[in-house]
């Protein structure tokens, strides 16, 4: 019989009142066997439940529960999925994980492709390992939104790009979701000479025909590291090719805005920066549906900083004791970030901010984003520099929920090497201003 071990119980919860304990097992809810988080959340949403638990001594307990709709039971499990994660079985020509060097921590090499993670954390999935029954279950459970790595709607091209002969039916699968009212966000990793130009037009045209349930599309440039031996030959973006994409997508945005009152398709900040074009204003990103893909991060951050500074002035807190702090970032956003910090210095008296652009020699100069910097590059660039009292680092450089960087060096170890306090900061304007004032 399938059963799931309970790892913890929240205080003052329904489960605690019932006497359920860590080490007990969940057997069923409303006589339905629970296989994963989809089952659990769906059946727990009811206001009346029959919960079957197996205690540590093998006794079976059954509880009849009345609760508010969507009220949580307070049961915690070892895995957020209540099941093993599904891995990706594609061999995408642009896969970043295939471009990692050997010897990094094991978790970095796991290619997740799990629809449940898409729902819980916003991960993007290719849908190549979803069965028809699993798609039906997502629709039945109303697990929305679903985030999908599309890349192209051309069946033959998608098979080639993903190196999976079953990858060509993506448009039909997306239609199954949108026609059932499931909201879908899509991602296109753009590879020059492969899925750009007319192929990009086709993909945008076919996907946006499914709006408004097709809520958003992000277009992001392919990321290429120096560890590509034996992999497909891909061309990096340059100013000219990035400019072509920006112009192409902006024409689509203009048409879509008129038709749907939404731009739907958005470009990664990197493409504007490479094209040396101004980033769109805050309002152009609407509800920022693709910010986790690096779409609108600079505009959002700048807006949040100005709002936070306005609050400081209103609270008459825009003066600090004379101090210097430092910030290390990827080279792509350096000029934009310098403008933001110059504005901050002009707004907070007594504060000096030293901003350092760090070239990524670990992955190679083609990788320019802040989130992929490693400790070895930070140490090389910052050793001996004026770092002030505190070095602020974006939390995107660290493994989620930890202070461990991509090369397994902790913030504490970095402090020892650089001789300065390291503070991890959320990539949000208010958090950044708070860190500057309080550091």
């Amino acid at each position: 019989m399938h059963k799931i071990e309970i790892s913890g119980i929240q205080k003052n919860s329904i489960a605690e009142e019932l006497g359920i304990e860590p080490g007990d097992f969940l057997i069923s809810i409303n006589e339905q066997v629970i296989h994963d988080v989809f089952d659990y959340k769906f059946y727990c949403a009811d206001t009346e439940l029959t919960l079957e638990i197996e205690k540590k001594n093998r006794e079976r307990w059954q509880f009849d529960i009345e609760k508010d709709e969507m009220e949580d039971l307070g049961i915690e499990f070892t895995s957020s999925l209540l099941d093993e994660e599904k891995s990706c079985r594609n061999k995408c020509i642009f896969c970043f994980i295939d471009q990692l060097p050997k010897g990094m921590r094991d978790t970095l090499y796991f290619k997740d492709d799990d629809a449940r993670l898409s729902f819980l954390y916003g991960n993007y999935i290719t849908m190549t390992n979803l069965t028809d029954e699993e798609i039906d279950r997502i629709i039945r459970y109303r697990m929305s939104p679903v985030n999908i790595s599309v890349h192209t709607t051309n069946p033959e091209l998608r098979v080639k790009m993903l190196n999976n002969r079953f990858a060509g039916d993506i448009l039909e699968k997306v239609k199954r979701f949108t026609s059932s009212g499931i909201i879908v966000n899509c991602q296109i990793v753009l590879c020059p000479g492969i899925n750009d130009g007319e192929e990009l037009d086709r993909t945008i045209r076919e996907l946006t025909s499914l709006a408004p349930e097709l809520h958003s599309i992000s277009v992001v440039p392919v990321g290429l590291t120096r560890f590509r031996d034996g992999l497909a030959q891909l061309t990096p973006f340059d100013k000219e090719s990035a400019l072509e994409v920006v112009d192409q997508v902006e024409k689509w945005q203009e048409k879509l805005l008129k038709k749907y009152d939404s731009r739907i398709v958005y470009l990664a900040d990197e493409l504007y920066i490479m094209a040396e074009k101004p980033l769109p204003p805050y309002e152009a990103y609407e509800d920022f549906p693709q910010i986790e893909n690096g779409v609108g991060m600079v505009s959002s951050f700048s807006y949040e900083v100005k709002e936070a500074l306005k609050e400081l002035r209103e609270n008459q807190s825009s003066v600090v004791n004379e101090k210097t702090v430092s910030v290390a970032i990827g080279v792509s956003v350096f000029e934009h970030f310098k403008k933001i910090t110059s504005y901050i210095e002009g707004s907070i008296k007594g504060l000096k901010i030293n901003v350092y652009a760090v070239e990524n020699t670990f992955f190679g100069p083609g990788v320019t984003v802040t989130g992929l910097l490693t400790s070895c590059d930070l140490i090389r660039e910052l050793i001996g520099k004026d770092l002030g009292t505190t070095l602020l680092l974006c939390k995107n450089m660290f493994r989620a929920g930890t202070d461990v960087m991509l090369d397994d060096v902790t913030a504490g170890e970095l402090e020892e090497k650089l001789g300065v306090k390291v503070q991890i900061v959320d990539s949000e304007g208010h958090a950044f201003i708070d860190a500057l004032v309080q550091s």
Side-chain angles (χ1 to χ4, degrees):
M1 174 175 287
H2 187 81
K3 57 186 182 180
I4 303 172
E5 185 172 3
I6 296 169
S7 63
I9 299 297
Q10 296 173 5
K11 289 185 178 180
N12 303 317
S13 65
I14 294 173
E16 184 180 59
E17 292 178 11
L18 296 175
I20 301 171
E21 301 171 298
D24 294 345
F25 291 88
L26 172 64
I27 301 298
S28 66
I29 300 175
N30 292 345
E31 299 184 350
Q32 300 294 321
V33 176
I34 305 302
H35 293 95
D36 62 15
V37 67
F38 278 11
D39 291 337
Y40 181 74
K41 286 186 175 294
F42 181 76
Y43 291 110
C44 277
D46 289 348
T47 56
E48 295 183 2
L49 305 179
T50 298
L51 188 69
E52 187 177 6
I53 297 291
E54 181 179 287
K55 299 294 288 182
K56 299 175 193 177
N57 61 6
R58 302 286 180 89
E59 287 184 4
R60 290 287 178 91
W61 290 12
Q62 186 168 295
F63 305 96
D64 292 320
I65 301 169
E66 292 186 7
K67 66 179 188 63
D68 294 335
E69 188 175 7
M70 304 304 293
E71 183 181 1
D72 190 60
L73 296 176
I75 298 176
E76 298 175 348
F77 304 94
T78 303
S79 166
S80 59
L81 295 181
L82 318 190
D83 191 16
E84 291 185 0
E85 296 179 11
K86 289 186 176 182
S87 62
C88 180
R89 60 191 183 195
N90 306 308
K91 290 291 291 182
C92 299
I93 59 174
F94 50 81
C95 179
F96 195 83
I97 294 175
D98 288 342
Q99 301 177 69
L100 295 178
K102 295 179 180 179
M104 302 181 77
R105 62 174 181 266
D106 291 343
T107 53
L108 292 175
Y109 301 99
F110 181 77
K111 303 178 184 181
D112 74 75
D113 198 15
D114 200 308
R116 298 165 298 184
L117 291 174
S118 177
F119 174 72
L120 290 174
Y121 305 117
N123 297 19
Y124 279 76
I125 58 172
T126 66
M127 295 187 65
T128 53
N129 63 6
L130 275 183
T131 65
D132 287 340
E133 291 75 18
E134 287 170 323
I135 292 174
D136 288 340
R137 191 167 70 122
I138 292 171
I139 294 169
R140 185 170 71 254
Y141 288 178
R142 312 305 301 167
M143 293 296 180
S144 182
V146 175
N147 303 309
I148 303 174
S149 290
V150 174
H151 313 307
T152 178
T153 53
N154 179 332
E156 293 78 17
L157 181 57
R158 193 168 194 264
V159 165
K160 177 181 176 182
M161 291 187 72
L162 273 61
N163 274 308
N164 185 330
R165 62 192 177 95
F166 301 107
D169 60 349
I170 187 62
L171 192 59
E172 288 74 19
K173 288 180 176 177
V174 173
K175 285 179 179 177
R176 286 181 64 182
F177 285 140
T178 58
S179 64
S180 300
I182 301 295
I183 299 300
V184 175
N185 298 305
C186 295
Q187 176 193 62
I188 299 171
V189 174
L190 204 60
C191 303
I194 297 178
N195 62 334
D196 58 351
E198 291 181 4
E199 290 294 347
L200 178 59
D201 281 332
R202 171 180 175 165
T203 300
I204 294 174
R205 181 173 60 254
E206 293 183 341
L207 288 177
T208 55
S209 70
L210 306 178
E213 286 77 18
L214 194 294
H215 180 58
S216 72
I217 305 167
S218 64
V219 179
V220 303
V222 62
L224 304 177
T225 78
R226 63 187 177 91
F227 303 101
R228 288 196 58 83
D229 291 345
L231 300 178
Q233 292 294 315
L234 296 178
T235 303
F237 274 95
D238 56 18
K239 179 181 177 179
E240 182 181 356
S241 56
L243 187 58
E244 288 177 0
V245 174
V246 172
D247 290 342
Q248 180 181 11
V249 170
E250 285 183 342
K251 289 175 183 175
W252 272 105
Q253 289 178 327
E254 186 178 348
K255 287 189 287 187
L256 294 166
L257 194 57
K258 290 178 181 177
K259 185 174 182 179
Y260 296 107
D261 199 30
S262 172
R263 292 165 182 82
I264 301 178
V265 57
Y266 306 89
L267 288 162
D269 293 2
E270 287 178 84
L271 285 164
Y272 289 104
I273 293 169
M274 285 188 285
E276 298 180 14
K277 288 201 67 173
L279 288 161
Y282 180 86
E283 298 77 15
Y285 293 98
E286 301 175 28
D287 60 350
F288 286 84
Q290 297 270 357
I291 195 164
E292 297 300 325
N293 261 333
V295 177
M297 289 189 72
V298 175
S299 296
S300 176
F301 184 78
S302 179
Y303 175 86
E304 291 158 356
V305 162
K306 290 175 182 178
E307 288 295 301
L309 290 173
K310 189 187 302 181
E311 292 172 14
L312 275 183
R313 287 192 292 270
E314 291 171 355
N315 296 327
Q316 298 182 333
S317 306
S318 55
V319 178
V320 298
N321 294 328
E322 293 281 343
K323 66 177 177 181
T324 300
V325 299
S326 54
V327 183
I329 57 173
V331 297
S332 62
V333 295
F334 176 72
E335 295 299 331
H336 291 278
F337 204 82
K338 276 292 290 180
K339 290 179 182 177
I340 295 171
T341 54
S342 294
Y343 182 83
I344 295 171
E345 287 176 328
S347 302
I348 303 179
K349 295 180 180 179
L351 176 66
K352 178 175 172 49
I353 309 169
N354 290 332
V355 182
Y356 297 102
V358 181
E359 183 180 344
N360 199 323
T361 62
F362 184 87
F363 287 117
V367 177
T368 61
V369 296
T370 300
L372 291 174
L373 289 174
T374 57
S375 68
C376 60
D377 284 323
L378 290 176
I379 293 167
R380 184 205 72 249
E381 179 64 37
L382 302 179
I383 199 83
K385 298 285 178 65
D386 179 11
L387 302 179
T389 59
T390 309
L391 171 64
L392 303 181
L393 296 178
C394 177
K395 75 171 187 179
N396 293 344
M397 297 185 194
F398 298 84
R399 185 180 181 185
T402 75
D403 68 346
V404 182
M405 301 192 74
L406 283 170
D407 52 354
D408 262 352
V409 173
T410 66
E413 291 169 333
L414 200 57
E415 285 183 341
E416 292 181 14
K417 292 284 187 181
L418 295 174
V420 68
K421 176 187 173 185
V422 172
Q423 184 173 342
I424 301 172
V425 184
D426 195 358
S427 55
E428 192 271 336
H430 289 80
F432 184 65
I433 294 299
D434 288 343
L436 289 172
V437 172
Q438 297 169 12
S439 61

